[in-house]
Each structure stands twice: as structure tokens, then as C-alpha cells.
């Protein structure tokens, strides 16, 4: 099978590396030299360790590009100001002390899916591209200028330099959706995941604010900020809704409240919609990563969703009814994640700003028993305990 991936970055190169190591298909990757990588997703979850092991990227290679191990997430000021709690990488509460010991000692856990990594998304894409570009059939630096369609889907992708044909096209072009936008697609969202802007940038360590081996979030007046430590810097940002705060006021609030020294010249404003396409595999096009949908950065689930899509597509490539099965799995998974993200907001008892007052309040959490390596039963028990809520299901 001839497979053409449109777009590089994290999604494109994760897809190319996985398919080139797990299949014998002819892989072409086309990426533009003029489109910047968003690079917000620098925090991963434990299934990422399996992914990098499968494609043959070692922990040392991750360390060489500035990565560190991640053992948990800590959420601050969400239930109420002054309240913070850990979402550990564990499956049962009895393992919390063991997980904290590993984190305090920066030790490599000897149990499955008990750690992950903070990565520099841009450097990770470069690492994977350098490691796997020779393994794929063709790597082209080109800019897509047109897409031609027929009854089967896309017949040609036309670049400035050449024209690309394939049996299957994979859209990794991000929010631009260069391929998927050519087809009618139903869009869904979760009405309680409302953020639509993010200031994202880098920060430096200070004498009082040093590296921590977990992703840290802080609830803010109109959203929340993230801190993701790397060896030589911090990835940071403020996710918010512009209905409740202006871009400039959000920028100032973030700079004043970030525990690290924000590099103001690195900050860039990202606009997005929290939504997803219900049929990311349409005809001969599969959308992977941001081109399929985006929720928001909370709980480090963006790279996780990309990984799950890649592995699901791989298993279904030669199967009957592959589109239907892939799309069903995708909708179950992303709807499940959107639900979990939403309860961070609806469980909060904060009413100090119009933003926090806008969410419907609840004190129950419904666990649907949907399988997810990211949010299983422990995750629901942990968030319910942190917010003083009750788990139903």
C-alpha cells in the first residue's frame, strides 16, 4: 500500500516512524518548511513509553534532547484556592507512597506505565525525523497548494514542487486540515470545555523555582496555566476563554503568576476551538492529531490521542469495515476524555470570577467503565476525592 502523510511535526513523524517500523508499506511524508510547529504538547502520559520503545527511541535519546521523567500531574487551586492534589500514574491508591518515593529519588520505576516524560515537542520531532527519514520511501519538503478529489476520496495532492498520489492519505496538517476539510464532517464538542485561547512560551528556572518531575497546573481567573519542566527550561502557558478576559490581560496575569521567569519574547497566542470531527477516517483520508480534533492541553492528552489513533489505524489498515471501527473507537475515546476534562470545571466550588461561575456545579462523578489507559477507575476516584465528590458507576 502507498501511504502519503501530509504534515510533519509531532503527529506526522510519530505516524511515519510507527508505520515504517511496523509495516512494509511505502511511506511518503510531505512537510512544509514554512509552517511553524505548534509545540504546546510537551507533557506525555505513560503509554508514550510503550510507543517510543516500539519505534526504537531510547530513554537516553530522550534525555539527549532535554527530556526528563514525569511521574504525575499536580493540580493547584482547582477545587478552591490553596487546594492542590496529585493525579498519580498508578492504578490503585495503595501505590501512592511508592510512586512518591520513585519521584523523590528520580528513580526508574520497575512497574508498567508508572512514568512518562516531559519532552521538547520540536526537538522530539527533529529526533524522530532524523532517525526515520531514511527508513521511509520518501521525505519531501514541499508546500501543498491544491487537493484534487474523486469518488474514492483524494486523487492527488499538488505541491509547489511535485504531485503526490497514494492509496491512503494521512492528514497531519494540524488545525489547517488540508485534507479532511475537503469532505463533509460532523463536529462535536463538550459544552463544559470552553477555553479557546492559549498563551504559550518558555520560562527559566530561578533560585526559588526549580525543576519538578511532574506536570503542574494552576487554576487562574479565566482558565489555567501549565508548567512543564525540561532540563534547561520550562514549557509554560495560560489556557483561557476570551469571553472572560482580554488577550493582553491574560498575558499579564500569566506573567505575574507563573512561578518561573517567563521569557516574554517567546510568548505566542494560539487560537483554537475545542471540538472534534466524528469521521476522521473518511474515504481514503485519515486525520491524525490536531487535524482530527483538539480539546485543550489539560491532562496531557493531546499526544496520547495521536498515539492511540496511530496504533488503531495500524491495526485496522487491512481490515474489513476499518473506517467504521476506527471512527467508533475515536469517538468513544475522545468523548470519554472530554468528559473527564469537563469535570475539573464542574466539580470546582470556585465562584470568585465570572469564568468559574459560568460552569454548572456538581458533586458527583459518573464513571462509565469505558476503557482508557489514561483515565481508568483510579483517575475518577482521585478527582472525586480531591473535589469532595461522589463516584457513580
Amino acid at each position: 500500500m502507498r501511504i502519503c502523510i501530509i504534515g510533519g511535526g509531532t503527529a506526522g513523524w510519530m505516524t511515519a516512524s510507527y508505520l515504517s517500523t511496523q509495516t512494509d508499506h511505502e511511506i511518503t511524508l510531505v512537510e512544509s518548511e514554512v509552517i511553524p510547529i505548534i509545540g504546546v504538547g510537551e507533557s506525555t502520559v505513560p503509554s508514550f513509553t510503550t510507543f517510543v520503545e516500539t519505534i526504537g527511541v531510547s530513554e537516553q535519546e530522550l534525555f539527549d534532547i532535554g527530556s526528563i521523567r514525569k511521574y504525575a500531574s499536580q493540580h493547584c487551586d482547582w477545587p478552591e484556592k490553596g487546594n492542590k492534589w496529585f493525579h498519580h500514574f498508578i492504578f490503585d491508591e495503595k501505590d501512592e507512597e511508592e510512586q512518591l518515593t520513585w519521584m523523590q529519588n528520580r528513580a526508574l520505576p520497575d512497574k508498567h506505565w508508572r512514568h512518562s516524560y516531559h519532552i521538547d515537542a520540536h526537538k522530539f520531532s527533529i529526533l524522530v525525523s532524523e532517525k526515520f527519514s531514511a527508513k521511509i520511501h520518501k521525505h519531501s519538503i514541499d508546500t501543498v497548494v491544491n487537493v484534487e478529489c474523486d469518488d474514492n476520496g483524494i486523487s492527488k495532492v499538488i505541491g509547489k514542487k511535485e504531485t503526490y498520489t497514494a492509496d491512503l492519505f494521512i492528514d497531519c496538517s494540524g488545525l489547517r486540515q488540508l485534507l479532511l476539510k475537503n469532505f463533509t464532517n460532523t463536529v462535536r464538542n463538550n459544552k463544559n470545555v470552553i477555553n479557546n485561547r492559549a498563551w504559550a512560551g518558555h520560562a527559566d528556572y530561578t533560585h526559588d523555582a526549580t525543576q519538578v518531575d511532574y506536570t503542574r497546573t494552576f487554576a487562574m481567573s479565566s482558565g489555567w496555566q501549565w508548567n512543564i519542566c525540561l532540563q534547561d527550561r520550562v514549557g509554560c502557558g495560560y489556557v483561557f476563554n476570551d469571553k472572560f478576559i482580554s488577550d493582553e490581560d491574560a498575558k499579564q496575569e500569566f506573567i505575574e503568576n507563573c512561578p518561573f521567569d517567563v521569557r516574554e519574547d517567546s510568548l505566542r497566542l494560539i487560537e483554537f476551538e475545542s471540538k472534534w470531527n466524528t469521521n476522521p477516517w473518511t474515504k481514503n483520508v485519515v486525520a491524525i492529531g490536531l487535524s482530527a480534533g483538539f480539546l485543550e492541553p489539560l491532562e496531557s492528552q493531546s499526544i496520547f490521542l495521536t498515539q492511540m489513533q496511530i496504533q488503531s489505524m495500524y491495526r485496522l489498515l487491512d481490515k474489513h469495515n476499518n473506517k467504521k471501527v476506527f471512527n467508533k473507537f475515536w469517538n468513544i475515546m475522545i468523548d470519554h476524555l472530554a468528559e473527564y476534562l469537563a469535570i475539573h470545571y464542574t466539580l470546582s466550588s470556585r465562584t470568585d470570577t465570572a469564568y468559574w461561575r459560568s460552569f454548572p456545579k456538581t458533586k458527583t462523578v459518573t464513571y462509565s467503565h469505558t476503557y482508557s489507559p489514561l483515565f481508568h477507575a483510579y483517575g475518577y476516584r482521585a478527582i472525586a476525592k480531591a473535589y469532595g465528590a461522589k463516584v457513580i458507576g
Side-chain angles (χ1 to χ4, degrees), residues 1 3 18-19 23 25 168 281 286 308-330:
M1 181 187 297
I3 299 175
Y18 199 86
L19 293 179
T23 77
H25 296 307
L168 183 70
W281 194 335
V286 186
M308 296 299 288
Q309 283 185 296
I310 293 168
Q311 293 172 316
S312 175
M313 176 188 63
Y314 158 71
R315 296 187 186 100
L316 294 168
L317 276 176
D318 302 311
K319 303 294 184 182
H320 177 65
N321 250 0
N322 49 14
K323 301 178 186 66
K324 182 178 179 180
V325 175
F326 180 91
N327 291 335
K328 181 179 180 180
F329 175 76
W330 159 255

Side-chain angles (χ1 to χ4, degrees), residues 3 30 48 59 87 107 162 245 253 291 326 330 334 339 352:
I3 299 175
V30 182
F48 181 75
E59 182 176 71
H87 186 172
E162 57 184 295
I245 191 171
E253 182 188 3
S291 57
F326 180 91
W330 159 255
I334 196 165
E339 259 183 36
D352 52 300

Side-chain angles (χ1 to χ4, degrees), residues 112-318:
H112 186 55
W113 281 3
R114 295 286 287 273
H115 78 285
S116 192
Y117 298 94
H118 288 170
I119 63 171
D120 181 316
H122 182 58
K123 289 181 179 179
F124 177 73
S125 298
I126 294 173
L127 165 66
V128 178
S129 67
E130 291 176 344
K131 192 176 181 73
F132 295 99
S133 59
K135 298 181 184 297
I136 64 176
H137 174 70
K138 185 173 187 177
H139 173 209
S140 180
I141 305 298
D142 201 353
T143 300
V144 174
V145 295
N146 195 24
V147 173
E148 293 186 5
C149 299
D150 59 22
D151 291 342
N152 295 317
I154 289 178
S155 57
K156 297 177 182 178
V157 173
I158 302 169
K160 285 185 176 180
K161 298 178 181 178
E162 57 184 295
T163 297
Y164 307 90
T165 59
D167 302 304
L168 183 70
F169 288 92
I170 301 179
D171 189 344
C172 293
S173 64
L175 300 177
R176 295 171 296 145
Q177 293 185 326
L178 291 177
L179 306 185
L180 192 65
K181 70 180 181 182
N182 293 281
F183 307 98
T184 301
N185 223 301
T186 305
V187 174
R188 288 186 58 197
N189 61 21
N190 184 304
K191 60 181 174 45
N192 292 316
V193 182
I194 65 170
N195 294 321
N196 63 357
R197 293 275 202 284
W199 282 107
H202 302 160
D204 294 307
Y205 295 110
T206 68
H207 177 72
D208 296 322
T210 56
Q211 178 184 314
V212 294
D213 299 285
Y214 48 88
T215 300
R216 188 163 50 183
T217 75
F218 294 86
M220 306 274 277
S221 74
S222 304
W224 60 278
Q225 71 160 286
W226 76 82
N227 300 158
I228 300 170
C229 294
L230 298 170
Q231 290 177 26
D232 61 346
R233 66 164 176 85
V234 182
C236 56
Y238 182 8
V239 184
F240 61 98
N241 185 301
D242 68 342
K243 177 181 175 181
F244 298 94
I245 191 171
S246 70
D247 295 342
E248 286 306 309
D249 285 347
K251 181 179 180 180
Q252 193 59 38
E253 182 188 3
F254 169 53
I255 292 170
E256 291 175 357
N257 288 276
C258 182
F260 301 99
D261 186 11
V262 177
R263 302 175 188 172
E264 291 189 45
D265 60 354
S266 75
L267 290 177
R268 65 198 190 283
L269 183 65
I270 300 169
E271 299 179 18
F272 64 88
E273 290 183 70
S274 179
K275 63 181 183 180
W276 64 91
N277 294 281
T278 59
N279 294 293
W281 194 335
T282 298
K283 296 192 174 184
N284 68 341
V285 174
V286 186
I288 299 288
L290 297 180
S291 57
F294 182 68
L295 297 174
E296 61 159 82
L298 186 61
E299 291 286 4
S300 311
Q301 37 67 41
S302 184
I303 290 178
F304 165 80
L305 280 172
T306 298
Q307 172 197 333
M308 296 299 288
Q309 283 185 296
I310 293 168
Q311 293 172 316
S312 175
M313 176 188 63
Y314 158 71
R315 296 187 186 100
L316 294 168
L317 276 176
D318 302 311

